[in-house]
Amino acid sequence: MKQISREELYELVWRKPMTKLAEEFGLSDQGLSKICARHAIPRPPRGYWAKLEAGKEVQKHEFPSCPAGTASIIRFPQSGQFQRKSRESAKRVEEVAVNVAKISIPGTLRNLHPIVAAWVDEHRKEQVERRARFRARQPDDLWWGEETLADLTERDLYRFRVTSALLKGFEAQGGRALEGSIRGKFRLEASGEKFEIAVVEKMYQFHGKPSDEPKGWTAFPYHHNSALAPTGFLRFTITTYLGTGVKKEWVETSKLNGEDLLPTVIAGFLLAGPALAARREEFAERDRRIEAQRVAEEERRHLAQLEQEKWRLFRDRAKDWEEAQRLRSFLAALEANPHSLVEEIDGMPAADWLKWAHRKVEELDPLV
């Protein structure tokens, strides 16, 4: 069991990203976030790490006092399972990345991957149609008409070119790009498993003046939260859940551009297929265990019912034997006192009736 004070964890949270810090504690980033919230430990806002990396001034939130009823010492179980899986996943990605050839990002929009080329055609067609509608507007509609579509910006063009290189490199390694939207969302297939990814601009929370907020950096501002600003780096994410500890996000930095990062990203995408297959097998194995437990429980209940039924039959036979003994005594008493019998009983001669009664008693007695 590892333990740490609230103040120590507060300092660590502002020194390392949650994903990296969580790995050190053997937790998921969501698990560590819940612990911070439970102990009132403030976390860096969105965009904090981008500013820090860019050398900009950042400010930490004040360290609050310990909430009532909350321990000042935080204890973490030392399971190590999350760390072990994370290390194994990172190692596998590195091993596969070695076999992925260096990817060259094209400098133009020529020979783009078909999915990305369709985006360029879609944007150009939408531009033409909007301009035609704009020119056809009536004077009364000038204030309410549809705006024209801006040209693709440098960031748009860079994302398109990097995405095209990524998809081509992925398919060269045996993967398949099934479909993709201009927003940067894709469905891919590796090792027969389908999953979803995103190649988008990494954003950060903008806290400056509205007049200083970056504008015109993309032709698709409606694809992004208006309260966020671009970092100038792309983020590659596997959005399909692959299981705990599996590497599924890569981000460009000032020291690691897209061209250097793509082999690792492609390796991660290729390993998503086996990870999904392993996860499905885990679920199948779990379902098999549950089914085996259900069958065993059903068998146990069935055997218990059989046991109860046998016991009930045994007790019923004992009652029948006891009843037969009582009836024999009654018949013996009747036969010992023949004057108590009338000549005819229930429409039968007395002698025949006695024979009938003896036969019924013999039928009732389980020992006969």
Side-chain angles (χ1 to χ4, degrees):
M1 181 76 72
K2 185 175 182 179
Q3 60 183 32
I4 188 173
S5 68
R6 287 180 65 250
E7 188 170 0
E8 288 175 320
L9 182 57
Y10 164 76
E11 294 295 335
L12 289 173
V13 164
W14 290 83
R15 200 179 304 155
K16 295 181 180 180
M18 291 294 284
T19 51
K20 294 183 179 179
L21 186 59
E23 289 183 10
E24 296 181 8
F25 287 110
L27 300 170
S28 65
D29 52 347
Q30 293 91 344
L32 183 57
S33 296
K34 289 179 181 178
I35 290 176
C36 290
R38 192 181 308 129
H39 292 270
I41 298 174
R43 289 168 291 155
R46 187 176 297 177
Y48 172 86
W49 300 108
K51 287 183 179 180
L52 193 64
E53 188 176 350
K56 297 182 180 179
E57 184 179 353
V58 294
Q59 290 183 345
K60 294 196 300 185
H61 294 175
E62 293 184 3
F63 180 62
S65 57
C66 186
T70 303
S72 60
I73 299 298
I74 303 169
R75 293 175 173 81
F76 298 92
Q78 291 290 86
S79 64
Q81 183 179 10
F82 185 86
Q83 284 181 298
R84 178 178 57 80
K85 288 187 175 180
S86 297
R87 287 194 297 268
E88 291 175 354
S89 175
K91 184 177 179 181
R92 287 196 299 271
V93 170
E94 290 176 3
E95 291 172 350
V96 175
V98 172
N99 299 321
V100 178
K102 186 173 179 63
I103 308 297
S104 297
I105 298 175
T108 67
L109 298 183
R110 295 193 187 123
N111 299 319
L112 293 175
H113 187 276
I115 290 179
V116 182
W119 296 352
V120 177
D121 292 340
E122 176 186 340
H123 176 266
R124 187 180 297 115
K125 181 179 178 181
E126 180 68 15
Q127 264 192 329
V128 172
E129 291 177 352
R130 284 199 189 188
R131 286 170 182 167
R133 289 195 294 269
F134 184 82
R135 288 193 296 268
R137 288 189 305 179
Q138 298 298 321
D140 294 340
D141 297 332
L142 291 179
W143 294 101
W144 308 103
E146 184 180 38
E147 295 182 358
T148 57
L149 185 61
D151 291 336
L152 294 173
T153 66
E154 286 298 320
R155 290 306 302 166
D156 295 326
L157 294 172
Y158 178 71
R159 178 168 68 90
F160 283 17
R161 291 185 285 109
V162 170
T163 301
S164 176
L166 171 66
L167 296 180
K168 284 187 174 183
F170 178 68
E171 292 184 335
Q173 296 296 321
R176 290 179 59 205
L178 303 177
E179 59 183 359
S181 73
I182 201 168
R183 289 177 176 267
K185 313 295 184 181
F186 300 87
R187 286 183 70 243
L188 305 183
E189 181 180 331
S191 301
E193 298 290 334
K194 297 178 178 61
F195 57 96
E196 296 180 352
I197 69 159
V199 181
V200 296
E201 183 80 17
K202 187 177 187 299
M203 309 294 284
Y204 73 95
Q205 188 76 41
F206 183 77
H207 296 290
K209 298 178 182 179
S211 58
D212 296 334
E213 186 174 353
K215 295 181 177 64
W217 64 274
T218 177
F220 314 101
Y222 44 85
H223 289 178
H224 306 276
N225 188 327
S226 59
L228 303 179
T231 62
F233 301 114
L234 291 180
R235 181 175 62 198
F236 309 84
T237 309
I238 301 174
T239 54
T240 299
Y241 183 66
L242 303 179
T244 304
V246 179
K247 178 76 173 178
K248 62 175 187 176
E249 183 171 281
W250 300 264
V251 181
E252 287 182 317
T253 65
S254 57
K255 299 179 181 179
L256 188 63
N257 59 28
E259 196 164 86
D260 296 329
L261 187 61
L262 283 186
T264 303
V265 176
I266 291 172
F269 289 176
L270 292 172
L271 289 173
L276 283 171
R279 181 167 172 76
R280 190 177 65 254
E281 180 56 31
E282 287 179 7
F283 281 132
E285 179 61 28
R286 182 201 63 182
D287 292 342
R288 284 193 290 268
R289 288 197 305 268
I290 293 174
E291 178 63 15
Q293 291 171 359
R294 186 195 67 77
V295 171
E297 179 63 20
E298 185 67 26
E299 180 67 14
R300 187 195 65 78
R301 284 198 299 266
H302 178 63
L303 291 176
Q305 289 174 354
L306 289 177
E307 187 73 9
Q308 291 176 356
E309 181 65 14
K310 287 192 294 184
W311 180 241
R312 185 188 65 78
L313 289 173
F314 172 75
R315 296 182 65 189
D316 288 346
R317 286 166 182 160
K319 290 178 182 178
D320 290 343
W321 175 81
E322 202 172 51
E323 179 71 3
Q325 296 292 86
R326 187 176 68 83
L327 293 175
R328 283 196 185 97
S329 298
F330 175 63
L331 286 174
L334 288 176
E335 291 173 336
N337 186 13
H339 298 293
S340 63
L341 297 174
V342 295
E343 294 183 359
E344 188 174 302
I345 303 173
D346 295 336
M348 301 172 61
D352 293 342
W353 183 86
L354 286 172
K355 290 179 182 179
W356 170 83
H358 275 291
R359 187 178 76 252
K360 297 303 292 183
V361 171
E362 295 298 305
E363 292 175 358
L364 178 63
D365 190 347
L367 299 183
V368 175

